């Protein structure tokens, strides 16, 4: 299996936790980092560190080449038309806030609609709540189907000619649901709305193609896709970004500064105020190289297989509720569950005692928890380095936990 060779690249996985070999099943929160990414960061700081876009000295030129080279890697990774459409941000959250604060403030007025769904992460809810409050706009939620999927009919019912923004996650961080973004984009565009995609859980796992999806904006984070923390991406269509105002003002993003008026650099730099996230971007570039060498198609297939295997094994356990679509084809490598009469935090603690790392809590999706009618769940999320043995260890851990609490 693919993952056995791959896990050798991840030094962190080769350790014991509480006397057991580590099984890391919390990649939806953050993925582990391969040696290639750690070395890219080390090499940058050891040999090339300097500020960028200032020309003249050799280190500065090298740092600029690496930083802008990383942008080209991202462009290719998402198949954007131009590097001008790739803005480095601190993460998906920052990218979504930028769209709300720049595009949203300029284009949303009183009575207009912003449409999201009940499955969104807080980072794709609160920026729109704030915008709606500021503008007197209406924030509308698309209701989910019983199995935690979205129906295109409900999307069609929700989107109207008053809709200015539709913002939806590609892959749910709780249910694992994969949403039909291309079709939703067509519906949004038919009503003149822009389509924003929260790609935080998609970029690590699927081949993204912004031209094929035809979305207007896409946000994602480097740390969930083998890259470092503190780096993410906002993709936007050039014609929209060109019309938008920067969100952060200061050094780096200016062309000319007068006493009372200033002008901005061209795209993408007008959105990158201050010294940029140089090492982070270089680390993300190395992560993209790593993922592309394996192949995103392979990664997606591997995770479907693991999630399918986990669902098969877990669904035979008494007292275990699994949330989200039960058809593995409709979900990514995320399995969220609860064990009867056991709080997910207690469950996660017993699993940790057995060397197994899962997340427990509301997963930054409180409206979804309300829809699921529970306050918290446990979640196992899989990535390239996980194996069927990891799933077996999880199932065994759940058995131990069940006995422990009985
Ligand atoms: N959108 C989705 C769908 C996410 O899963 C997350 C993080 C974010 C946005 C925010 O990303 P950030 O890098 O800007 O923080 N999700 C999770 C999670 O599921 N567990 O911890 C973080």
């Amino acid at each position: 299996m693919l993952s056995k060779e791959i896990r050798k690249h991840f030094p962190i996985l080769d350790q014991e936790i509480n006397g057991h070999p580590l099984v890391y099943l919390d990649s939806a929160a953050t993925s582990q980092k391969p040696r290639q990414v750690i070395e890219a960061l080390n090499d940058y700081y050891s040999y090339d560190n300097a500020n960028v876009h200032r020309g003249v000295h050799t280190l500065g030129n090298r740092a600029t080449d690496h930083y802008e080279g990383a942008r080209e890697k991202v462009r290719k990774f998402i198949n954007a038309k131009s590097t001008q459409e790739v803005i480095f941000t601190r993460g998906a959250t920052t990218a979504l806030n930028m769209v709300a604060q720049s595009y949203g403030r300029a284009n949303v007025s009183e009575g207009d609609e912003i449409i999201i769904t009940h499955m969104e992460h807080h980072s794709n809810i609160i920026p729109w709540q704030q915008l709606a409050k500021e503008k007197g706009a209406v924030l509308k939620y698309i209701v989910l189907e019983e199995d935690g999927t979205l129906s295109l009919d409900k999307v069609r019912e929700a989107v109207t000619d008053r809709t200015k923004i539709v913002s939806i996650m590609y892959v749910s961080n709780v249910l694992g649901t994969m949403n039909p973004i291309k079709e939703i984009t067509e519906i949004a565009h038919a009503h003149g709305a822009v389509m924003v995609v929260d790609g935080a859980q998609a970029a690590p796992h699927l081949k993204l193609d912004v031209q094929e999806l035809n979305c207007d904006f896409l946000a994602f984070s480097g740390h969930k896709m083998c890259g470092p923390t503190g780096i993410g991406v906002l993709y936007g269509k050039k014609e929209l970004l060109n019309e938008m105002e920067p969100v952060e003002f200061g050094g780096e993003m200016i062309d000319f500064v007068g006493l009372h008026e200033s002008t901005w650099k061209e795209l993408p730099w007008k959105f990158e105020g201050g010294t940029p996230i140089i090492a982070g971007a270089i680390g993300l570039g190395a992560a993209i190289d790593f993922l592309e060498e394996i192949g995103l198609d392979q990664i997606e297939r591997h995770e479907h297989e693991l999630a399918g295997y986990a669902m098969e094994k877990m669904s035979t356990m008494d007292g275990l509720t699994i949330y989200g679509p039960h058809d593995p084809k409709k979900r990514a490598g995320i399995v969220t569950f609860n064990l009867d009469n056991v709080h997910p935090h207690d469950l996660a603690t017993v699993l940790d005692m057995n060397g197994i790392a899962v997340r427990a809590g509301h997963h930054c999706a409180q409206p979804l928890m309300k829809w699921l009618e529970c306050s918290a769940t446990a979640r196992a999320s899989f990535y390239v380095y996980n194996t069927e043995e990891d799933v077996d260890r999880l199932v065994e851990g759940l058995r131990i936990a069940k006995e422990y609490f009985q």
Side-chain angles (χ1 to χ4, degrees):
M1 198 184 221
L2 169 83
S3 46
K4 287 226 169 93
E5 277 306 304
I6 288 170
R7 57 189 294 134
K8 291 185 192 149
H9 295 291
F10 292 81
I12 202 169
L13 297 177
D14 186 21
Q15 64 174 302
E16 295 203 339
I17 299 286
N18 298 321
H20 301 271
L22 167 63
V23 173
Y24 186 75
L25 299 178
D26 197 17
S27 298
T30 198
S31 71
Q32 297 303 349
K33 320 302 171 198
R35 211 180 291 283
Q36 290 84 334
V37 169
I38 300 167
E39 277 169 10
L41 294 172
N42 192 20
D43 286 352
Y44 167 68
Y45 281 125
S46 301
Y47 308 114
D48 303 323
N49 176 58
N51 214 325
V52 293
H53 303 143
R54 284 155 173 78
V56 193
H57 69 68
T58 303
L59 290 185
N61 288 336
R62 268 197 230 153
T64 305
D65 287 349
H66 288 315
Y67 179 67
E68 293 302 331
R71 198 188 308 275
E72 168 57 19
K73 287 180 187 179
V74 173
R75 183 206 65 74
K76 209 165 133 263
F77 182 70
I78 59 173
N79 194 30
K81 280 189 193 151
S82 154
T83 49
Q84 291 193 304
E85 302 183 313
V86 175
I87 297 157
F88 285 123
T89 70
R90 204 166 64 73
T93 302
T94 308
L96 291 164
N97 274 281
M98 281 169 71
V99 180
Q101 284 171 32
S102 179
Y103 183 87
R105 279 201 179 131
N107 292 283
V108 174
S109 315
E110 193 174 342
D112 285 343
E113 298 164 352
I114 303 159
I115 296 189
I116 61 174
T117 77
H118 274 278
M119 69 172 90
E120 302 308 317
H121 184 279
H122 295 164
S123 293
N124 194 31
I125 299 175
I126 307 164
W128 309 118
Q129 277 181 358
Q130 294 298 102
L131 178 65
K133 271 190 220 156
E134 184 183 317
K135 294 289 181 173
V138 183
L139 181 61
K140 275 167 67 174
Y141 285 81
I142 300 172
V143 188
L144 310 185
E145 300 306 289
E146 251 183 48
D147 65 349
T149 57
L150 277 184
S151 111
L152 287 173
D153 284 340
K154 297 248 169 72
V155 178
R156 279 187 206 99
E157 275 164 33
V159 183
T160 74
D161 289 345
R162 288 306 312 248
T163 307
K164 287 289 159 60
I165 296 172
V166 179
S167 188
I168 294 183
M169 58 183 8
Y170 199 156
V171 174
S172 161
N173 64 318
V174 178
L175 304 171
T177 314
M178 297 166 68
N179 290 319
I181 292 297
K182 193 177 167 194
E183 290 77 6
I184 298 172
T185 301
E186 279 171 17
I187 298 169
H189 286 172
H191 291 273
V194 294
M195 180 73 199
V196 185
V197 180
D198 174 359
Q201 298 293 348
H205 311 288
L206 322 172
K207 178 78 197 101
L208 289 175
D209 183 335
V210 289
Q211 293 188 63
E212 161 84 9
L213 292 173
N214 199 21
C215 57
D216 300 288
F217 299 99
L218 168 79
F220 58 95
S221 296
H223 70 94
K224 294 186 200 284
M225 49 186 286
C226 294
T229 49
I231 184 77
V233 171
L234 170 63
Y235 157 83
K237 280 187 182 157
K238 192 171 157 184
E239 50 278 23
L240 294 172
L241 293 174
N242 262 331
E243 294 299 312
M244 285 159 55
E245 275 293 291
V247 177
E248 282 192 329
F249 300 88
E252 284 277 342
M253 49 75 68
I254 50 81
D255 179 25
F256 166 81
V257 177
L259 289 182
H260 299 287
E261 289 295 333
S262 302
T263 56
W264 322 137
K265 265 190 189 156
E266 59 178 339
L267 288 175
W269 303 292
K270 78 169 180 181
F271 287 105
E272 294 180 0
T275 296
I277 313 154
I278 307 166
I282 292 169
L284 176 58
I288 289 175
D289 289 342
F290 177 80
L291 295 176
E292 286 186 334
E293 199 168 312
I294 301 166
L296 270 293
D297 292 347
Q298 280 264 54
I299 294 172
E300 189 183 350
R301 197 170 330 124
H302 173 67
E303 289 173 24
H304 274 306
E305 277 169 18
L306 272 187
Y309 181 67
M311 302 265 293
E312 190 188 305
K313 289 224 139 184
M314 289 165 77
S315 55
T316 61
M317 293 188 75
D318 279 346
L320 195 79
T321 307
I322 300 176
Y323 301 98
H326 279 229
D327 177 357
K329 286 194 216 79
K330 289 189 184 165
R331 59 153 72 222
I334 291 174
V335 181
T336 291
F337 52 93
N338 263 323
L339 194 56
D340 279 356
N341 307 318
V342 182
H343 193 280
H345 280 133
D346 296 334
L347 180 57
T349 303
V350 173
L351 290 174
D352 183 57
M353 278 158 52
N354 288 277
I356 304 157
V358 299
R359 185 169 172 195
H362 56 58
H363 313 289
C364 303
Q366 288 183 28
L368 179 62
M369 292 296 122
K370 189 161 175 250
W371 181 82
L372 290 172
E373 295 176 346
C374 58
S375 59
T377 71
R379 177 187 70 185
S381 50
F382 307 106
Y383 205 19
V384 277
Y385 34 73
N386 292 118
T387 60
E388 285 192 353
E389 287 87 87
D390 289 345
V391 175
D392 294 339
R393 286 272 311 280
L394 170 67
V395 172
E396 182 52 25
L398 290 172
R399 264 197 211 103
I400 294 169
K402 228 173 131 185
E403 272 171 31
Y404 182 90
F405 289 108
Q406 273 167 3

